Amino acid sequence: MAAAPSLSFSKTLEADAPVVVILVDPDNRAGATGNALIGQTTGGFERAVAATGFSGKPGSFLDILAPAGLSAGRLILAGVGAAAEFDDKAALKLGGQVYGKLKELKVKAATVVLETSGGPLSPELGAEFLLGLRLRAYEFDKYKTAKKDEATGPVAVTVVAEHSGKLKKAWAEVEPVADGVVIARDLVHEAPNALGPQEFAAEAEKLKKLGVEVEVLGEKDLRKIGMGALLAVAQGSVRPPRVVVMKWNGGKDGDRPAVFIGKGLVFDSGGISIKPAAGMEDMKADMGGAAAVTGLFRALAGRKAKVNAIGLLGIVENMPDGGSYRPGDILTSLSGQTIEVVNTDAEGRLVLADVLTYAADRFKPVFMINLATLTGAIGVALGSQMAGLFSNDDQLAGELVKAGEDTGERLWRMPMGPEYDKLIDSRFADMKNSGGRSAGSITAAQFLKRFVGETPWAHLDIAGTAMSSPETDINRAWASGYGVRLLDRLVRTRFEG
Ligand code: BES
Ligand code: MN
Ligand code: ZN
């Protein structure tokens, strides 16, 4: 991971700050500090604006070099749009845009005045700005032996904010969420030779130092418990599976926990139903769900969230081998239901089936939410703009959609129903593990639902959103860390509102 810029907080702008960024609206007005700066320049600003057509639109910038009358070597105007519409989502984006601009200009140290023409940014908006900055700065470069100096962005950012103390406090609440997203992205990027089930479990165990209880179940434990579906997927790999149980007890004693479950295929070759060679390397990211849940627990523990939460990771490798499970095999899942394997590449649902059963039985959750890079079909349907949401509970689904809109990690609710469920009935067992190509994401969800029982449940299919990410204001890396901010927000509104 590339180093995030070091942050400092200040109440006032130092007269000799070499590079100053101010936030400007479409009428070319800034906050008091910015307006004062502009007022000191001798016509340079007006002329520069007239010459460039700088409009103050969100995402637009004007770089004024050596402004006459100012000690600053450089004054960068960042367009933020109308001050009245500048909300937390705009602040998040702006943080990313400002980082991107500074990097493009090869500026190594800058001061940003957190003020619009509407006044100083609230500490909450300021913290979102810093979150955007931090996430945009993220890079996975640990395996690059030759680091290009000119390619690195700003190393020091000073933010000027009237309530700098309150901003620092607000950032202390948000920074753990940034750390969580970074952990999720790092895990998704990590090479599969370096990150097997054992290594993944060890990463989760690092959260112990933040007060998360972490229990790791090995192959023997899983056999004793009876996770026949999960173990079948694992049997072709020389690297035995793990199920990780994380507990964050930040809520009231006795309050039933919220459970978050992640699909953790450290590599999905497809197994005997092997995938085509092209792009198979992407299947190192088939643990994106488990990565997001790990990142979420980093966030919850880091900010001491007032919630009782359980995280469960089903960490397995799917490989072709003489000992692999095969098409035709009939498995007995932990629930007792039998599954005919018709495609060993539909493995994620087998892993999740047993973990869902285990979660519902052991923890009696208020709800359970699983995240999984489950089907290529969800990417066909929704692209990388939205993840698929499947749920048996309208309230939970509504809260998730809302959290998605509020964070920009968006969700689209997909249909479920008995018409789809019957597509996975099997001739030889209780069900088969694939319903074929059509409605592939929905039949996968119907499969999971058979292991859920009465617990309010949601399944997020993040195969389109976790990896191969498009360039956005807050991410330039391949992995997005999708789900961490979304679920942190859900926890805040449901349990901490
Ligand atoms: N891990 C894949 C789904 C996936 C595809 C994730 C592309 C990310 C990007 C999953 O295990 C899988 O192979 N699903 C199959 C299901 C089919 C065999 C029923 C698929 O989507 O083709
Ligand atoms: Mn697969
Ligand atoms: Zn998979």
Side-chain angles (χ1 to χ4, degrees):
M1 179 222 328
S6 73
L7 297 176
S8 39
F9 300 82
S10 171
K11 266 191 191 325
T12 52
L13 178 64
E14 291 192 20
D16 58 349
V19 181
V20 180
V21 181
I22 61 172
L23 315 185
V24 177
D25 72 19
D27 299 320
N28 289 316
R29 283 176 321 200
T33 312
N35 283 332
L37 281 182
I38 291 168
Q40 287 166 27
T41 66
T42 47
F45 167 74
E46 306 283 301
R47 283 181 57 215
V49 167
T52 58
F54 173 78
S55 64
K57 274 202 305 239
S60 66
F61 285 91
L62 179 59
D63 178 25
I64 308 175
L65 284 166
L70 263 197
S71 59
R74 201 165 197 168
L75 183 61
I76 299 171
L77 313 192
V80 296
E85 283 155 38
F86 191 77
D87 58 7
D88 54 345
K89 273 161 86 175
L92 178 76
K93 283 187 170 188
L94 180 69
Q97 290 161 351
V98 166
Y99 183 91
K101 193 67 191 178
L102 294 173
K103 181 172 177 181
E104 180 195 316
L105 298 175
K106 301 188 170 44
V107 168
K108 295 297 170 198
T111 303
V112 185
V113 181
L114 290 184
E115 230 179 37
T116 68
S117 58
L121 292 196
S122 69
E124 289 69 33
L125 293 190
E128 286 298 308
F129 172 89
L130 293 175
L131 177 63
L133 192 89
R134 170 84 193 280
L135 294 180
R136 175 67 174 267
Y138 174 87
E139 232 180 297
F140 183 75
D141 58 3
K142 71 183 267 201
Y143 292 107
K144 297 273 194 189
T145 59
K147 294 195 169 113
K148 296 195 201 77
D149 196 39
E150 74 274 11
T152 56
V155 290
V157 172
T158 302
V159 288
V160 174
E162 191 179 78
H163 308 292
S164 63
K166 283 188 187 147
L167 172 59
K168 246 181 162 166
K169 256 198 178 152
W171 175 234
E173 286 280 301
V174 175
E175 190 177 14
V177 182
D179 292 338
V181 176
V182 165
I183 286 179
R185 289 179 183 175
D186 274 348
L187 287 167
V188 170
H189 285 131
E190 187 53 272
N193 57 331
L195 189 76
Q198 192 184 330
E199 291 81 10
F200 198 129
E203 287 301 314
E205 285 193 290
K206 289 184 183 166
L207 297 178
K208 281 179 179 171
K209 63 174 183 288
L210 291 173
V212 180
E213 284 173 40
V214 184
E215 187 184 336
V216 178
L217 306 174
E219 196 176 0
K220 263 196 203 144
D221 306 309
L222 302 177
R223 192 159 299 127
K224 214 165 121 196
I225 292 166
M227 294 203 185
L230 181 149
L231 285 164
V233 177
Q235 79 194 30
S237 172
V238 295
R239 302 191 287 183
R242 297 284 186 273
V243 168
V244 171
V245 184
M246 299 181 285
K247 287 187 201 168
W248 172 252
N249 300 314
K252 288 201 203 77
D253 267 359
D255 274 5
R256 285 161 65 197
V259 170
F260 301 94
I261 298 169
K263 170 180 172 182
L265 264 289
V266 292
F267 187 70
D268 176 17
S269 67
I272 296 300
S273 314
I274 198 162
K275 287 179 181 294
M280 203 201 275
E281 67 276 17
D282 288 358
M283 285 303 112
K284 71 174 183 179
D286 207 18
M287 28 57 73
V293 172
T294 308
L296 173 69
F297 275 69
R298 171 69 185 80
L300 296 179
R303 64 177 189 79
K304 304 204 181 332
K306 293 182 183 58
V307 63
N308 292 334
I310 303 289
L312 289 162
L313 316 176
I315 315 176
V316 184
E317 181 171 46
N318 187 22
M319 292 295 261
D321 178 81
S324 291
Y325 80 134
R326 47 187 103 50
D329 283 2
I330 295 178
L331 316 175
T332 300
S333 67
L334 175 59
S335 71
Q337 298 177 92
T338 57
I339 305 162
E340 181 196 3
V341 177
V342 296
N343 190 325
T344 64
D345 197 14
E347 84 299 334
R349 64 198 72 181
L350 298 172
V351 171
L352 289 172
D354 281 349
V355 180
L356 284 163
T357 302
Y358 185 71
D361 287 356
R362 176 168 167 192
F363 298 108
K364 315 274 180 265
V366 272
F367 62 68
M368 47 189 187
I369 299 176
N370 71 259
L371 289 87
T373 50
L374 203 64
T375 65
I378 203 67
V380 174
L382 301 175
S384 53
Q385 285 71 20
M386 291 196 175
L389 162 64
F390 301 84
S391 182
N392 64 0
D393 189 275
D394 291 344
Q395 191 201 330
L396 180 61
E399 287 175 35
L400 278 163
V401 168
K402 171 84 167 55
E405 292 304 315
D406 290 347
T407 56
E409 294 192 335
R410 302 178 68 197
L411 286 166
W412 189 256
R413 189 165 183 188
M414 301 284 288
M416 297 190 75
E419 323 81 299
Y420 293 107
D421 186 65
K422 71 170 194 276
L423 299 176
I424 52 168
D425 285 339
S426 159
R427 217 163 146 181
F428 307 116
D430 295 334
M431 69 197 87
K432 55 187 177 183
N433 75 330
S434 166
R437 271 173 57 79
S438 65
S441 301
I442 306 173
T443 52
Q446 294 294 160
F447 183 94
L448 297 181
K449 187 171 184 289
R450 292 190 183 203
F451 298 87
V452 165
E454 298 304 309
T455 308
W457 158 78
H459 152 52
L460 314 188
D461 193 335
I462 62 170
T465 52
M467 63 181 100
S468 301
S469 309
E471 291 193 346
T472 67
D473 288 326
I474 60 166
N475 186 30
R476 291 300 157 110
W478 183 72
S480 61
Y482 180 98
V484 177
R485 294 191 301 112
L486 171 79
L487 295 176
D488 181 74
R489 182 65 66 101
L490 178 87
V491 166
R492 271 174 208 253
T493 48
R494 162 83 74 121
F495 300 99
E496 303 174 291

